Amino acid sequence: MDDRGAERFGHEISLDYYWRTPDTVAAHLAKADLQVQARVLREPVDEETRPRAFVLARKRP
C-alpha cells in the first residue's frame, strides 16, 4: 500500500508500507533466531479495513 503525499507532525512525507500476515512476520523472526512469545490479532476498528496483528518476540536463551 502506498500513501504518497501524507502529512505527519506538520511535515509532508512519503509513506510506504506493506501488509504482512502474522505467520510471515513470525517466520522472519524465527529466521533471525528470535523466539515468538505472543501473537495478538484484532479486528478492524473505525475506518480501518484490515485486521491488525502484534507479534512479540525475544532472543533465544
Side-chain angles (χ1 to χ4, degrees):
M1 172 146 276
D2 189 356
D3 188 7
R4 301 240 181 243
E7 184 267 330
R8 299 293 186 268
F9 306 109
H11 300 278
E12 285 286 322
I13 62 168
S14 176
L15 180 61
D16 298 308
Y17 54 93
Y18 303 91
W19 295 101
R20 304 284 188 239
T21 66
D23 289 339
T24 299
V25 173
H28 285 292
L29 292 167
K31 285 182 186 178
D33 202 29
L34 296 169
Q35 185 176 22
V36 173
Q37 299 293 298
R39 298 180 198 197
V40 175
L41 180 65
R42 72 160 176 79
E43 295 303 316
V45 295
D46 299 327
E47 70 278 351
E48 296 173 348
T49 58
R50 297 174 183 244
R52 300 295 194 261
F54 305 90
V55 181
L56 177 65
R58 70 178 183 139
K59 285 185 176 182
R60 293 185 183 279

